[in-house]
mmCIF file of all heavy atoms in Angstrom:
data_model
loop_
_atom_site.group_PDB
_atom_site.id
_atom_site.type_symbol
_atom_site.label_atom_id
_atom_site.label_comp_id
_atom_site.label_asym_id
_atom_site.label_seq_id
_atom_site.Cartn_x
_atom_site.Cartn_y
_atom_site.Cartn_z
ATOM 1 N N SER P 300 13.404 -2.815 48.826
ATOM 2 C CA SER P 300 12.055 -2.793 48.298
ATOM 3 C C SER P 300 11.167 -3.794 49.017
ATOM 4 O O SER P 300 11.628 -4.749 49.617
ATOM 5 C CB SER P 300 12.095 -3.104 46.806
ATOM 6 O OG SER P 300 10.819 -2.967 46.250
ATOM 7 N N GLU P 301 9.859 -3.582 48.946
ATOM 8 C CA GLU P 301 8.925 -4.434 49.670
ATOM 9 C C GLU P 301 8.686 -5.780 48.977
ATOM 10 O O GLU P 301 8.605 -6.796 49.627
ATOM 11 C CB GLU P 301 7.608 -3.702 49.845
ATOM 12 C CG GLU P 301 7.711 -2.478 50.723
ATOM 13 C CD GLU P 301 6.389 -1.758 50.831
ATOM 14 O OE1 GLU P 301 5.347 -2.339 50.488
ATOM 15 O OE2 GLU P 301 6.401 -0.607 51.249
ATOM 16 N N SER P 302 8.549 -5.762 47.662
ATOM 17 C CA SER P 302 8.231 -7.012 46.970
ATOM 18 C C SER P 302 8.807 -6.972 45.557
ATOM 19 O O SER P 302 9.214 -5.937 45.051
ATOM 20 C CB SER P 302 6.722 -7.206 46.912
ATOM 21 O OG SER P 302 6.140 -6.263 46.033
ATOM 22 N N TRP P 303 8.793 -8.137 44.929
ATOM 23 C CA TRP P 303 9.246 -8.222 43.535
ATOM 24 C C TRP P 303 8.336 -7.423 42.623
ATOM 25 O O TRP P 303 8.790 -6.835 41.653
ATOM 26 C CB TRP P 303 9.286 -9.673 43.073
ATOM 27 C CG TRP P 303 10.483 -10.406 43.555
ATOM 28 C CD1 TRP P 303 10.524 -11.342 44.539
ATOM 29 C CD2 TRP P 303 11.827 -10.244 43.099
ATOM 30 N NE1 TRP P 303 11.816 -11.777 44.722
ATOM 31 C CE2 TRP P 303 12.632 -11.115 43.847
ATOM 32 C CE3 TRP P 303 12.421 -9.453 42.133
ATOM 33 C CZ2 TRP P 303 13.997 -11.223 43.659
ATOM 34 C CZ3 TRP P 303 13.783 -9.540 41.943
ATOM 35 C CH2 TRP P 303 14.554 -10.422 42.702
ATOM 36 N N PHE P 304 7.046 -7.423 42.934
ATOM 37 C CA PHE P 304 6.105 -6.685 42.088
ATOM 38 C C PHE P 304 6.391 -5.191 42.097
ATOM 39 O O PHE P 304 6.471 -4.559 41.054
ATOM 40 C CB PHE P 304 4.664 -6.951 42.537
ATOM 41 C CG PHE P 304 3.660 -6.209 41.721
ATOM 42 C CD1 PHE P 304 3.349 -6.616 40.433
ATOM 43 C CD2 PHE P 304 3.039 -5.084 42.229
ATOM 44 C CE1 PHE P 304 2.437 -5.916 39.672
ATOM 45 C CE2 PHE P 304 2.126 -4.380 41.477
ATOM 46 C CZ PHE P 304 1.822 -4.797 40.191
ATOM 47 N N SER P 305 6.573 -4.629 43.277
ATOM 48 C CA SER P 305 6.836 -3.189 43.357
ATOM 49 C C SER P 305 8.202 -2.830 42.791
ATOM 50 O O SER P 305 8.396 -1.719 42.301
ATOM 51 C CB SER P 305 6.707 -2.699 44.795
ATOM 52 O OG SER P 305 7.689 -3.280 45.609
ATOM 53 N N SER P 306 9.127 -3.756 42.818
ATOM 54 C CA SER P 306 10.451 -3.456 42.283
ATOM 55 C C SER P 306 10.508 -3.604 40.766
ATOM 56 O O SER P 306 11.480 -3.195 40.142
ATOM 57 C CB SER P 306 11.504 -4.350 42.923
ATOM 58 O OG SER P 306 11.272 -5.698 42.594
ATOM 59 N N SER P 307 9.477 -4.165 40.160
ATOM 60 C CA SER P 307 9.501 -4.355 38.709
ATOM 61 C C SER P 307 8.634 -3.356 37.956
ATOM 62 O O SER P 307 8.480 -3.475 36.741
ATOM 63 C CB SER P 307 9.074 -5.780 38.365
ATOM 64 O OG SER P 307 7.753 -6.003 38.784
ATOM 65 N N VAL P 308 8.085 -2.370 38.626
ATOM 66 C CA VAL P 308 7.203 -1.396 37.974
ATOM 67 C C VAL P 308 7.961 -0.582 36.928
ATOM 68 O O VAL P 308 7.520 -0.467 35.779
ATOM 69 C CB VAL P 308 6.528 -0.482 39.023
ATOM 70 C CG1 VAL P 308 5.803 0.664 38.351
ATOM 71 C CG2 VAL P 308 5.586 -1.287 39.883
ATOM 72 N N VAL P 309 9.071 0.004 37.287
ATOM 73 C CA VAL P 309 9.836 0.835 36.352
ATOM 74 C C VAL P 309 10.374 0.013 35.180
ATOM 75 O O VAL P 309 10.221 0.426 34.025
ATOM 76 C CB VAL P 309 10.969 1.592 37.076
ATOM 77 C CG1 VAL P 309 11.869 2.325 36.093
ATOM 78 C CG2 VAL P 309 10.383 2.559 38.088
ATOM 79 N N PRO P 310 10.979 -1.155 35.400
ATOM 80 C CA PRO P 310 11.416 -1.954 34.243
ATOM 81 C C PRO P 310 10.270 -2.346 33.309
ATOM 82 O O PRO P 310 10.436 -2.326 32.087
ATOM 83 C CB PRO P 310 12.045 -3.192 34.884
ATOM 84 C CG PRO P 310 12.510 -2.727 36.210
ATOM 85 C CD PRO P 310 11.482 -1.731 36.649
ATOM 86 N N PHE P 311 9.093 -2.652 33.852
ATOM 87 C CA PHE P 311 7.954 -2.976 32.992
ATOM 88 C C PHE P 311 7.498 -1.767 32.185
ATOM 89 O O PHE P 311 7.075 -1.901 31.039
ATOM 90 C CB PHE P 311 6.789 -3.535 33.808
ATOM 91 C CG PHE P 311 6.801 -5.031 33.907
ATOM 92 C CD1 PHE P 311 7.163 -5.648 35.088
ATOM 93 C CD2 PHE P 311 6.464 -5.814 32.824
ATOM 94 C CE1 PHE P 311 7.191 -7.025 35.188
ATOM 95 C CE2 PHE P 311 6.484 -7.190 32.909
ATOM 96 C CZ PHE P 311 6.850 -7.804 34.099
ATOM 97 N N ARG P 312 7.590 -0.596 32.755
ATOM 98 C CA ARG P 312 7.230 0.623 32.006
ATOM 99 C C ARG P 312 8.193 0.861 30.848
ATOM 100 O O ARG P 312 7.774 1.225 29.752
ATOM 101 C CB ARG P 312 7.206 1.826 32.938
ATOM 102 C CG ARG P 312 6.035 1.826 33.869
ATOM 103 C CD ARG P 312 6.055 3.026 34.778
ATOM 104 N NE ARG P 312 4.912 2.976 35.692
ATOM 105 C CZ ARG P 312 4.741 3.800 36.684
ATOM 106 N NH1 ARG P 312 5.620 4.757 36.926
ATOM 107 N NH2 ARG P 312 3.689 3.692 37.462
ATOM 108 N N ILE P 313 9.475 0.675 31.088
ATOM 109 C CA ILE P 313 10.458 0.846 30.020
ATOM 110 C C ILE P 313 10.251 -0.202 28.929
ATOM 111 O O ILE P 313 10.300 0.107 27.734
ATOM 112 C CB ILE P 313 11.896 0.773 30.581
ATOM 113 C CG1 ILE P 313 12.142 1.904 31.585
ATOM 114 C CG2 ILE P 313 12.923 0.803 29.465
ATOM 115 C CD1 ILE P 313 12.073 3.291 30.989
ATOM 116 N N VAL P 314 9.990 -1.433 29.319
ATOM 117 C CA VAL P 314 9.740 -2.502 28.346
ATOM 118 C C VAL P 314 8.472 -2.197 27.551
ATOM 119 O O VAL P 314 8.423 -2.406 26.341
ATOM 120 C CB VAL P 314 9.655 -3.876 29.045
ATOM 121 C CG1 VAL P 314 9.077 -4.932 28.130
ATOM 122 C CG2 VAL P 314 11.041 -4.281 29.523
ATOM 123 N N PHE P 315 7.454 -1.670 28.213
ATOM 124 C CA PHE P 315 6.241 -1.283 27.495
ATOM 125 C C PHE P 315 6.552 -0.224 26.449
ATOM 126 O O PHE P 315 6.054 -0.299 25.310
ATOM 127 C CB PHE P 315 5.182 -0.771 28.476
ATOM 128 C CG PHE P 315 3.958 -0.252 27.792
ATOM 129 C CD1 PHE P 315 3.007 -1.125 27.291
ATOM 130 C CD2 PHE P 315 3.767 1.108 27.628
ATOM 131 C CE1 PHE P 315 1.879 -0.652 26.641
ATOM 132 C CE2 PHE P 315 2.644 1.593 26.982
ATOM 133 C CZ PHE P 315 1.694 0.711 26.485
ATOM 134 N N LEU P 316 7.357 0.766 26.803
ATOM 135 C CA LEU P 316 7.744 1.794 25.834
ATOM 136 C C LEU P 316 8.530 1.199 24.661
ATOM 137 O O LEU P 316 8.317 1.586 23.507
ATOM 138 C CB LEU P 316 8.579 2.880 26.514
ATOM 139 C CG LEU P 316 7.834 3.878 27.354
ATOM 140 C CD1 LEU P 316 8.820 4.804 28.072
ATOM 141 C CD2 LEU P 316 6.898 4.697 26.498
ATOM 142 N N MET P 317 9.429 0.259 24.962
ATOM 143 C CA MET P 317 10.203 -0.374 23.895
ATOM 144 C C MET P 317 9.279 -1.106 22.929
ATOM 145 O O MET P 317 9.433 -0.991 21.710
ATOM 146 C CB MET P 317 11.228 -1.350 24.493
ATOM 147 C CG MET P 317 12.362 -0.677 25.210
ATOM 148 S SD MET P 317 13.536 -1.716 26.146
ATOM 149 C CE MET P 317 13.266 -3.364 25.642
ATOM 150 N N TRP P 318 8.313 -1.861 23.466
ATOM 151 C CA TRP P 318 7.390 -2.605 22.612
ATOM 152 C C TRP P 318 6.438 -1.668 21.871
ATOM 153 O O TRP P 318 6.074 -1.927 20.724
ATOM 154 C CB TRP P 318 6.617 -3.636 23.435
ATOM 155 C CG TRP P 318 7.429 -4.859 23.688
ATOM 156 C CD1 TRP P 318 8.268 -5.077 24.747
ATOM 157 C CD2 TRP P 318 7.539 -6.015 22.852
ATOM 158 N NE1 TRP P 318 8.867 -6.312 24.624
ATOM 159 C CE2 TRP P 318 8.430 -6.908 23.476
ATOM 160 C CE3 TRP P 318 6.951 -6.383 21.649
ATOM 161 C CZ2 TRP P 318 8.756 -8.134 22.927
ATOM 162 C CZ3 TRP P 318 7.269 -7.619 21.103
ATOM 163 C CH2 TRP P 318 8.168 -8.477 21.737
ATOM 164 N N ALA P 319 6.015 -0.580 22.493
ATOM 165 C CA ALA P 319 5.134 0.384 21.829
ATOM 166 C C ALA P 319 5.839 1.055 20.662
ATOM 167 O O ALA P 319 5.258 1.219 19.581
ATOM 168 C CB ALA P 319 4.639 1.425 22.833
ATOM 169 N N VAL P 320 7.091 1.428 20.853
ATOM 170 C CA VAL P 320 7.858 2.042 19.765
ATOM 171 C C VAL P 320 8.064 1.038 18.633
ATOM 172 O O VAL P 320 7.920 1.382 17.460
ATOM 173 C CB VAL P 320 9.213 2.579 20.295
ATOM 174 C CG1 VAL P 320 10.138 2.949 19.165
ATOM 175 C CG2 VAL P 320 8.985 3.765 21.202
ATOM 176 N N PHE P 321 8.351 -0.206 18.980
ATOM 177 C CA PHE P 321 8.511 -1.229 17.943
ATOM 178 C C PHE P 321 7.203 -1.459 17.200
ATOM 179 O O PHE P 321 7.202 -1.635 15.981
ATOM 180 C CB PHE P 321 9.017 -2.541 18.537
ATOM 181 C CG PHE P 321 9.328 -3.569 17.490
ATOM 182 C CD1 PHE P 321 10.496 -3.480 16.750
ATOM 183 C CD2 PHE P 321 8.446 -4.605 17.230
ATOM 184 C CE1 PHE P 321 10.789 -4.412 15.770
ATOM 185 C CE2 PHE P 321 8.728 -5.540 16.258
ATOM 186 C CZ PHE P 321 9.901 -5.451 15.530
ATOM 187 N N TYR P 322 6.078 -1.437 17.903
ATOM 188 C CA TYR P 322 4.771 -1.587 17.269
ATOM 189 C C TYR P 322 4.540 -0.472 16.264
ATOM 190 O O TYR P 322 4.110 -0.715 15.132
ATOM 191 C CB TYR P 322 3.674 -1.596 18.332
ATOM 192 C CG TYR P 322 2.283 -1.659 17.755
ATOM 193 C CD1 TYR P 322 1.739 -2.870 17.373
ATOM 194 C CD2 TYR P 322 1.514 -0.510 17.597
ATOM 195 C CE1 TYR P 322 0.464 -2.939 16.840
ATOM 196 C CE2 TYR P 322 0.246 -0.563 17.064
ATOM 197 C CZ TYR P 322 -0.277 -1.784 16.686
ATOM 198 O OH TYR P 322 -1.542 -1.832 16.143
ATOM 199 N N LEU P 323 4.804 0.760 16.664
ATOM 200 C CA LEU P 323 4.635 1.892 15.751
ATOM 201 C C LEU P 323 5.547 1.774 14.540
ATOM 202 O O LEU P 323 5.152 2.094 13.417
ATOM 203 C CB LEU P 323 4.905 3.201 16.486
ATOM 204 C CG LEU P 323 3.929 3.564 17.594
ATOM 205 C CD1 LEU P 323 4.413 4.807 18.329
ATOM 206 C CD2 LEU P 323 2.541 3.776 17.026
ATOM 207 N N GLN P 324 6.745 1.300 14.782
ATOM 208 C CA GLN P 324 7.719 1.157 13.706
ATOM 209 C C GLN P 324 7.330 0.038 12.741
ATOM 210 O O GLN P 324 7.334 0.231 11.533
ATOM 211 C CB GLN P 324 9.099 0.876 14.287
ATOM 212 C CG GLN P 324 10.168 0.614 13.267
ATOM 213 C CD GLN P 324 11.486 0.255 13.928
ATOM 214 O OE1 GLN P 324 11.642 0.344 15.131
ATOM 215 N NE2 GLN P 324 12.441 -0.158 13.135
ATOM 216 N N TYR P 325 6.991 -1.105 13.267
ATOM 217 C CA TYR P 325 6.787 -2.292 12.436
ATOM 218 C C TYR P 325 5.388 -2.365 11.837
ATOM 219 O O TYR P 325 5.228 -2.539 10.635
ATOM 220 C CB TYR P 325 7.076 -3.543 13.267
ATOM 221 C CG TYR P 325 7.064 -4.813 12.466
ATOM 222 C CD1 TYR P 325 8.121 -5.129 11.617
ATOM 223 C CD2 TYR P 325 5.996 -5.698 12.550
ATOM 224 C CE1 TYR P 325 8.110 -6.292 10.878
ATOM 225 C CE2 TYR P 325 5.983 -6.861 11.816
ATOM 226 C CZ TYR P 325 7.041 -7.151 10.979
ATOM 227 O OH TYR P 325 7.022 -8.297 10.248
ATOM 228 N N VAL P 326 4.366 -2.212 12.660
ATOM 229 C CA VAL P 326 2.993 -2.395 12.199
ATOM 230 C C VAL P 326 2.484 -1.182 11.430
ATOM 231 O O VAL P 326 1.866 -1.322 10.370
ATOM 232 C CB VAL P 326 2.069 -2.736 13.385
ATOM 233 C CG1 VAL P 326 0.623 -2.817 12.957
ATOM 234 C CG2 VAL P 326 2.507 -4.036 14.035
ATOM 235 N N LEU P 327 2.734 -0.001 11.938
ATOM 236 C CA LEU P 327 2.232 1.199 11.281
ATOM 237 C C LEU P 327 3.191 1.757 10.229
ATOM 238 O O LEU P 327 2.833 2.658 9.484
ATOM 239 C CB LEU P 327 1.920 2.275 12.315
ATOM 240 C CG LEU P 327 0.856 1.896 13.361
ATOM 241 C CD1 LEU P 327 0.652 3.026 14.337
ATOM 242 C CD2 LEU P 327 -0.453 1.518 12.682
ATOM 243 N N GLY P 328 4.409 1.237 10.202
ATOM 244 C CA GLY P 328 5.370 1.655 9.196
ATOM 245 C C GLY P 328 6.029 2.997 9.445
ATOM 246 O O GLY P 328 6.515 3.627 8.520
ATOM 247 N N TRP P 329 6.041 3.430 10.688
ATOM 248 C CA TRP P 329 6.693 4.695 11.008
ATOM 249 C C TRP P 329 8.204 4.483 11.042
ATOM 250 O O TRP P 329 8.696 3.598 11.719
ATOM 251 C CB TRP P 329 6.221 5.227 12.341
ATOM 252 C CG TRP P 329 4.795 5.689 12.332
ATOM 253 C CD1 TRP P 329 3.922 5.626 11.292
ATOM 254 C CD2 TRP P 329 4.082 6.271 13.414
ATOM 255 N NE1 TRP P 329 2.712 6.120 11.656
ATOM 256 C CE2 TRP P 329 2.777 6.536 12.954
ATOM 257 C CE3 TRP P 329 4.411 6.586 14.714
ATOM 258 C CZ2 TRP P 329 1.811 7.104 13.757
ATOM 259 C CZ3 TRP P 329 3.444 7.156 15.513
ATOM 260 C CH2 TRP P 329 2.173 7.421 15.033
ATOM 261 N N PRO P 330 8.971 5.298 10.348
ATOM 262 C CA PRO P 330 10.439 5.134 10.343
ATOM 263 C C PRO P 330 11.072 5.686 11.619
ATOM 264 O O PRO P 330 11.234 6.885 11.776
ATOM 265 C CB PRO P 330 10.882 5.941 9.124
ATOM 266 C CG PRO P 330 9.821 6.985 8.974
ATOM 267 C CD PRO P 330 8.537 6.374 9.467
ATOM 268 N N MET P 331 11.416 4.810 12.533
ATOM 269 C CA MET P 331 12.017 5.231 13.797
ATOM 270 C C MET P 331 13.526 5.437 13.685
ATOM 271 O O MET P 331 14.132 5.954 14.607
ATOM 272 C CB MET P 331 11.714 4.220 14.899
ATOM 273 C CG MET P 331 10.265 4.115 15.246
ATOM 274 S SD MET P 331 9.683 5.663 15.934
ATOM 275 C CE MET P 331 7.952 5.326 16.051
ATOM 276 N N SER P 332 14.104 5.033 12.573
ATOM 277 C CA SER P 332 15.544 5.221 12.415
ATOM 278 C C SER P 332 15.916 6.695 12.371
ATOM 279 O O SER P 332 17.066 7.054 12.617
ATOM 280 C CB SER P 332 16.027 4.516 11.156
ATOM 281 O OG SER P 332 15.390 5.064 10.018
#
């Protein structure tokens, strides 16, 4: 890979999805179980 930034794009996207799902679960009260 060219740089650390370009190599961290996919992991940051997955982490964003993890935090978004947790936000929906915790703040909005959606049952993700």
Side-chain angles (χ1 to χ4, degrees):
S300 185
E301 295 178 16
S302 70
W303 281 106
F304 179 75
S305 65
S306 64
S307 62
V308 171
V309 173
F311 268 106
R312 288 180 181 173
I313 298 296
V314 166
F315 175 78
L316 283 174
M317 289 172 14
W318 280 90
V320 168
F321 186 77
Y322 176 82
L323 294 174
Q324 176 184 352
Y325 187 75
V326 175
L327 300 179
W329 291 3
M331 295 296 173
S332 61

